Amino acid sequence: MFKTLIPKATSRSLLRPVGQASSTFRPSTFYLVDRARRGYATEAEEKDLVIIGGGVAGYVAAIKAGQAGLKVACIEKRGALGGTCLNVGCIPSKSLLNNSHLYHTILHDTKNRGIEVGDVKLNLEQMMKAKETSVSGLTKGIEFLFKKNNVEYIRGTGAFADEHTVAVNLIDGGETSVRGKNIIIATGSEATPFPGLSIDEKRVVTSTGAIALKEVPKKMVVIGGGIIGLEMGSVWSRLGAEVTVVEFLGQIGGPGMDAEISKMTQKILQKQGMKFKLNTKVTKGDDSGDTIKISVEAAKGGKEETLDADVVLVAIGRRPYTAGLGVENIGIETDERGRLVIDQEYRTKLPHIRVIGDCTFGPMLAHKAEEEAVAAVEFITKNYGHVNYNAIPSVMYTHPEVAWVGQTEAEVKNSGVKYNVGSFPFSANSRAKTNLDTDGIVKFIADAETDRILGIHIVGPNAGEMIAEGTLALEYGASSEDVARTSHAHPTLA
């Protein structure tokens, strides 16, 4: 094996005599180092906190812990911080949603506003570049915050070597390991595959492929009528695709969306050109031909129908991502859905190892993961932390947007609580009228005896911003009257 002579002036933290443990390190004029090992980082001092995963949960926890004065290392295998949300999820999809909405508005809606335009053309390549510019700027911003708060960023794939040690295969080659007094697992989630369809992210795509198509498909079939399917379906519908959404349940938006809001949203999206097949299941798919054949039938059984598509978007949900993490080596438990089992303080059965974000219980939402990140670090540093899971808002960024917080009417009804419902249409709102954007309603659900707000549901323009006031009201136990007596600027959508 080749040897290299390295001068004494070289950093001692990276060198030791061959075969000699670091604890017995003694200086000398020259040290022999195996050249084959020079690509391998050596184990550094024990960290106060090691975080596996640099997505929304992981990077927020890392920055929060760094600000609290802990020695922190964050391991991320993607090569860019921000996880699914920032790289291939929330952020790039919102860029496409916003810009496709502008395109659609210019194409179909400016004449009514007194704005006449010439020949409108779609430059899909430039639209994708705008998306990438947003993503790259934000990921670099997180790296800056890591440096500012003294967080060590380790680019590689981590796996448990033992209860306190994480071995890392570095992206740039070689290996290292890092020990932590505390460890947070924040490895996120991945798209759930559909049996029988091979995802290539070109013709059969998840949300990752749906934000990176090279051309507008003539026909797109979306399997799953939840938030991801509807958002990405609406993008390509606006850009010219014929979009059909196939949903097993009897409503769109997923079980968290209020039934009344769901029906109204479906009507609005149908008016925009999207097609829906509810109470329908996909039985098989064939992607061997020029077009993809999707066989569907009624959820309860019935006559089979075949749908043709140039692109199929599989959007049937997401599942925890823990592949290769080695949790089984240290006895960490998972449930029947692959989620890592934790207690109310995010601890696994090994109390120094905590889990936050999509790979454990609760809604797979970026802001829920952020709240858990802060709470978990507070449990480590202060022995207390809190997340109010009854006040976590959800937003679907179609147009109009759909947003809600708290309980649906069905949930309140099933609980046996007597309640009142109040709603107000945007068609009677001054600002919505002047904006020529009047689809949707605001719906309040309140306790009939105390008037305390139990749920707020909005479908309409700017719903994703307005739900913040509803979340604050719910968090502080406000009544409907409290909100009504709060002065709101006029004319505004709020």
Side-chain angles (χ1 to χ4, degrees), residues 206-243:
T206 65
S207 56
T208 299
I211 63 167
L213 296 178
K214 301 295 185 185
E215 60 184 19
V216 179
K218 292 179 180 178
K219 292 185 178 182
M220 172 183 273
V221 169
V222 180
I223 304 176
I227 291 178
I228 293 174
L230 295 175
E231 286 186 350
M232 297 315 305
S234 68
V235 165
W236 294 106
S237 175
R238 293 169 188 167
L239 298 181
E242 180 184 313
V243 176

Side-chain angles (χ1 to χ4, degrees), residues 48-51 57-58 60-62 64-65 68 70 182-186 342-348 351-357 360 368-387 389:
D48 296 313
L49 176 61
V50 173
I51 300 167
V60 170
K64 179 72 176 178
L70 301 187
N182 296 280
I183 296 174
I184 289 179
I185 300 171
I342 55 173
D343 66 10
Q344 68 276 11
E345 295 185 11
Y346 310 104
R347 296 175 299 193
T348 64
H352 68 284
I353 300 178
R354 300 174 196 258
V355 187
I356 56 176
T360 190
K368 171 261 193 187
E370 290 178 339
E371 296 299 323
E372 289 181 339
V374 172
V377 172
E378 287 180 337
F379 275 121
I380 292 170
T381 58
K382 302 177 182 178
N383 293 318
Y384 65 83
H386 176 67
V387 176
Y389 290 96

Side-chain angles (χ1 to χ4, degrees), residues 93-262:
S93 67
K94 300 312 163 288
S95 173
L96 293 178
L97 281 158
N98 184 64
N99 292 334
S100 65
H101 174 60
L102 288 174
Y103 170 75
H104 191 267
T105 299
I106 294 168
L107 201 61
H108 298 288
D109 196 33
T110 56
K111 287 184 180 179
N112 297 330
R113 301 171 185 274
I115 304 169
E116 295 186 8
V117 296
D119 189 21
V120 181
K121 295 181 180 179
L122 172 66
N123 185 333
L124 186 59
E125 183 179 357
Q126 184 59 40
M127 188 175 283
M128 292 296 174
K129 284 181 181 178
K131 173 201 70 175
E132 294 302 326
T133 299
S134 301
V135 170
S136 62
L138 288 167
T139 55
K140 290 173 183 175
I142 299 170
E143 286 193 41
F144 168 77
L145 289 172
F146 270 24
K147 292 176 182 176
K148 182 179 178 181
N149 293 287
N150 299 313
V151 176
E152 183 182 355
Y153 173 24
I154 303 175
R155 294 172 172 83
T157 302
F160 282 98
D162 60 47
E163 294 178 3
H164 282 276
T165 307
V166 181
V168 185
N169 283 320
L170 299 169
I171 291 175
D172 295 330
E175 299 173 348
T176 189
S177 64
V178 57
R179 285 183 60 82
K181 297 174 185 175
N182 296 280
I183 296 174
I184 289 179
I185 300 171
T187 49
S189 61
E190 63 180 348
T192 303
F194 190 87
L197 285 174
S198 300
I199 292 171
D200 60 6
E201 299 296 11
K202 293 180 180 178
R203 293 207 307 160
V204 181
V205 300
T206 65
S207 56
T208 299
I211 63 167
L213 296 178
K214 301 295 185 185
E215 60 184 19
V216 179
K218 292 179 180 178
K219 292 185 178 182
M220 172 183 273
V221 169
V222 180
I223 304 176
I227 291 178
I228 293 174
L230 295 175
E231 286 186 350
M232 297 315 305
S234 68
V235 165
W236 294 106
S237 175
R238 293 169 188 167
L239 298 181
E242 180 184 313
V243 176
T244 302
V245 178
V246 181
E247 170 55 50
F248 184 81
L249 299 176
Q251 71 169 58
I252 65 170
M257 188 180 289
D258 184 84
E260 181 183 2
I261 298 295
S262 174

Side-chain angles (χ1 to χ4, degrees), residues 368-446:
K368 171 261 193 187
E370 290 178 339
E371 296 299 323
E372 289 181 339
V374 172
V377 172
E378 287 180 337
F379 275 121
I380 292 170
T381 58
K382 302 177 182 178
N383 293 318
Y384 65 83
H386 176 67
V387 176
N388 181 0
Y389 290 96
N390 295 317
I392 301 289
S394 295
V395 184
M396 185 170 77
Y397 297 90
T398 50
H399 187 85
E401 293 176 347
V402 186
W404 64 94
V405 66
Q407 295 175 283
T408 66
E409 185 174 352
E411 288 171 337
V412 176
K413 188 175 183 179
N414 291 337
S415 73
V417 173
K418 293 180 180 180
Y419 65 95
N420 292 323
V421 174
S423 63
F424 192 89
F426 279 99
S427 59
N429 175 273
S430 303
R431 186 66 188 276
K433 293 280 280 187
T434 58
N435 290 350
L436 303 180
D437 199 359
T438 57
D439 285 333
I441 63 169
V442 176
K443 176 178 179 178
F444 271 62
I445 305 167

